[in-house]
Amino acid sequence: MIIIGESIHVISPRVRAALEARDAKPLQEQAVRQVKNGAHVLDLNIGPQRKEGHEIMPWLVDNLQEVVDVPFCLDTTNVAALEAGIKRCKHTPIINSTDATEARMSTMIPLAVKYGAGLIALALAESGLPNT
């Protein structure tokens, strides 16, 4: 079993404020806390971050790698941010995620292959969730 810590998520007001201010300390504290409590991998969710994602994700990866030595699961729909973050990861990262739509698969699968990253794939297509 692999435990993925999910507490570094932009929907959290504290995480959002820390990302906006580029204040690494609360994010580092959260990362350390999750690893101490058993997380094997940390999910870093910056949301879409259309304008600054390519700067935020590598900044986040760099700052968290200063305090924890675990792989990251990079979570954003911004492909440039994913790639920028993947390039900074010391451990093989996981991309979170792709769905079964052609547009997402044609982008995320080649990105995962290019960097040897893991990929979380959702059984969700344009028609919605499958019945089985």
Side-chain angles (χ1 to χ4, degrees):
M1 173 173 31
I2 298 173
I3 299 170
I4 301 176
E6 293 264 349
S7 296
I8 301 173
H9 194 301
V10 72
I11 62 168
S12 161
R14 287 189 66 207
V15 171
R16 179 178 295 280
L19 290 173
E20 289 173 355
R22 301 298 195 277
D23 181 5
K25 187 174 182 197
L27 302 169
Q28 290 174 326
E29 290 169 352
Q30 182 61 255
V32 169
R33 191 168 31 258
Q34 288 181 92
V35 171
K36 282 185 180 178
N37 284 301
H40 303 120
V41 176
L42 296 181
D43 188 76
L44 310 183
N45 189 325
I46 65 168
Q49 292 293 342
R50 287 174 180 78
K51 293 181 183 177
E52 297 180 329
H54 66 285
E55 297 170 359
I56 292 171
M57 188 63 87
W59 173 87
L60 183 57
V61 168
D62 288 345
N63 279 282
L64 297 187
Q65 286 180 147
E66 289 179 7
V67 297
V68 295
D69 188 26
V70 297
F72 296 136
C73 185
L74 306 182
D75 199 344
T76 180
T77 56
N78 182 326
V79 177
L82 283 172
E83 189 162 19
I86 289 169
K87 289 178 180 179
R88 300 298 255 279
C89 288
K90 293 178 185 175
H91 298 284
T92 302
I94 302 168
I95 297 170
N96 188 11
S97 60
T98 187
D99 56 35
T101 61
E102 181 59 35
R104 292 283 291 167
M105 288 192 312
S106 67
T107 302
M108 296 302 170
I109 293 172
L111 185 64
V113 169
K114 180 178 179 179
Y115 292 101
L119 178 63
I120 295 172
L122 308 174
L124 174 66
E126 290 175 15
S127 60
L129 286 172
N131 292 330
T132 61

